[in-house]
Coordinates of all heavy atoms in Angstrom, one line a residue:
V16 N 32.4 -42.1 -55.5 CA 32.3 -40.7 -55.9 C 31.3 -40.5 -57.0 O 30.4 -39.6 -57.0 CB 33.7 -40.1 -56.4 CG1 33.6 -38.7 -56.9 CG2 34.7 -40.2 -55.3
M23 N 23.9 -36.4 -55.2 CA 24.0 -35.1 -54.6 C 23.4 -34.0 -55.5 O 22.6 -33.2 -55.0 CB 25.5 -34.8 -54.4 CG 25.8 -33.6 -53.6 SD 27.6 -33.4 -53.7 CE 27.8 -33.2 -55.5
I24 N 23.7 -34.1 -56.8 CA 23.2 -33.1 -57.7 C 21.7 -33.1 -57.7 O 21.0 -32.1 -57.7 CB 23.7 -33.4 -59.1 CG1 25.2 -33.2 -59.1 CG2 23.0 -32.5 -60.1 CD1 25.9 -33.7 -60.3
D91 N 49.7 -36.0 -57.0 CA 49.1 -37.2 -56.3 C 48.0 -36.9 -55.4 O 47.0 -37.6 -55.3 CB 50.2 -37.9 -55.5 CG 51.2 -38.7 -56.5 OD1 50.8 -38.8 -57.7 OD2 52.2 -39.1 -56.0
G104 N 33.2 -47.0 -44.6 CA 31.8 -47.1 -44.5 C 31.0 -46.3 -45.5 O 29.8 -46.3 -45.5
E107 N 28.6 -48.5 -47.8 CA 27.4 -48.9 -47.1 C 26.5 -47.8 -47.0 O 25.3 -47.9 -47.1 CB 27.8 -49.5 -45.7 CG 28.6 -50.8 -45.7 CD 30.1 -50.6 -45.9 OE1 30.5 -49.5 -46.3 OE2 30.8 -51.5 -45.6
A137 N 27.6 -26.4 -61.2 CA 28.5 -26.3 -62.3 C 28.5 -27.5 -63.2 O 28.3 -28.6 -62.7 CB 30.0 -26.1 -61.9
E156 N 46.5 -29.1 -63.1 CA 45.2 -28.7 -63.5 C 44.3 -29.9 -63.5 O 44.7 -30.9 -64.1 CB 45.2 -28.0 -64.8 CG 43.9 -27.5 -65.2 CD 43.9 -26.7 -66.5 OE1 44.2 -25.5 -66.4 OE2 43.7 -27.3 -67.6
A187 N 22.0 -21.9 -63.2 CA 22.7 -21.4 -62.0 C 23.5 -20.1 -62.2 O 24.3 -19.8 -61.4 CB 23.6 -22.5 -61.5
D223 N 30.9 17.7 -59.4 CA 29.4 17.6 -59.5 C 28.9 16.2 -59.1 O 27.7 16.0 -59.2 CB 29.0 17.9 -60.9 CG 29.4 19.3 -61.3 OD1 29.6 20.1 -60.4 OD2 29.6 19.5 -62.5
G229 N 36.8 6.2 -67.1 CA 38.2 5.6 -67.2 C 38.9 5.7 -65.9 O 40.1 5.4 -65.8
T237 N 37.5 -7.0 -48.0 CA 37.1 -8.2 -47.1 C 35.7 -8.1 -46.8 O 35.2 -7.1 -46.3 CB 38.0 -8.1 -45.9 OG1 39.4 -8.2 -46.3 CG2 37.7 -9.3 -45.0
A241 N 36.1 -12.2 -40.4 CA 37.5 -12.6 -40.4 C 38.2 -12.5 -39.1 O 39.4 -12.2 -39.0 CB 38.3 -11.8 -41.5
Y328 N 32.9 -41.8 -25.2 CA 31.4 -41.8 -25.1 C 30.9 -40.4 -25.3 O 29.7 -40.2 -25.4 CB 31.0 -42.3 -23.7 CG 31.3 -41.4 -22.5 CD1 30.4 -40.5 -22.1 CD2 32.5 -41.5 -21.9 CE1 30.7 -39.7 -21.0 CE2 32.8 -40.7 -20.8 CZ 31.9 -39.8 -20.4 OH 32.2 -38.9 -19.3
V335 N 35.9 -26.8 -31.1 CA 37.3 -26.3 -31.2 C 37.9 -26.1 -29.8 O 37.2 -25.7 -28.9 CB 37.2 -24.9 -31.8 CG1 38.5 -24.1 -31.6 CG2 36.9 -25.0 -33.3
D369 N 28.0 -31.0 -18.5 CA 27.2 -29.9 -18.0 C 26.3 -29.4 -19.2 O 25.1 -29.0 -19.0 CB 28.0 -28.8 -17.5 CG 28.6 -29.1 -16.2 OD1 28.2 -30.1 -15.5 OD2 29.6 -28.4 -15.8
P396 N 29.4 -44.9 -18.4 CA 29.7 -45.4 -17.0 C 30.9 -46.4 -17.0 O 31.6 -46.5 -16.1 CB 28.4 -46.0 -16.6 CG 27.4 -45.2 -17.3 CD 28.0 -44.9 -18.6
A401 N 34.9 -42.0 -12.9 CA 34.8 -40.8 -12.0 C 33.5 -40.0 -12.3 O 32.9 -39.4 -11.3 CB 36.0 -39.9 -12.3
L470 N 14.5 -52.1 -19.8 CA 15.7 -51.9 -20.7 C 15.7 -52.9 -21.8 O 15.5 -54.1 -21.6 CB 16.9 -52.1 -19.9 CG 17.0 -51.3 -18.6 CD1 18.4 -51.5 -17.9 CD2 16.7 -49.9 -18.8
N505 N 5.5 -55.8 4.4 CA 5.5 -55.8 5.9 C 5.8 -57.2 6.5 O 5.9 -58.2 5.8 CB 4.2 -55.2 6.4 CG 3.0 -56.0 5.9 OD1 3.1 -57.2 5.8 ND2 1.9 -55.3 5.7
A533 N 18.3 -79.9 -15.4 CA 17.9 -78.7 -16.2 C 17.9 -77.5 -15.3 O 18.1 -76.3 -15.8 CB 16.6 -78.9 -16.9
L552 N 17.9 -65.9 -12.6 CA 19.3 -66.3 -12.6 C 19.9 -65.9 -11.3 O 19.5 -65.0 -10.6 CB 20.0 -65.5 -13.8 CG 19.7 -66.0 -15.2 CD1 20.3 -65.1 -16.2 CD2 20.2 -67.4 -15.3
N582 N 4.6 -70.2 -8.7 CA 3.6 -69.4 -8.1 C 2.6 -70.3 -7.4 O 1.7 -70.9 -8.0 CB 2.9 -68.5 -9.2 CG 1.7 -67.7 -8.6 OD1 1.5 -67.7 -7.4 ND2 1.0 -67.0 -9.5
G616 N 13.9 -67.0 -24.3 CA 14.9 -68.0 -24.5 C 14.5 -69.1 -25.5 O 13.3 -69.1 -26.0

Side-chain angles (χ1 to χ4, degrees):
V16 176
M23 188 186 62
I24 292 164
D91 286 348
E107 292 84 344
E156 185 173 273
D223 301 333
T237 298
Y328 71 92
V335 165
D369 286 347
L470 311 186
N505 57 36
L552 286 175
N582 173 4

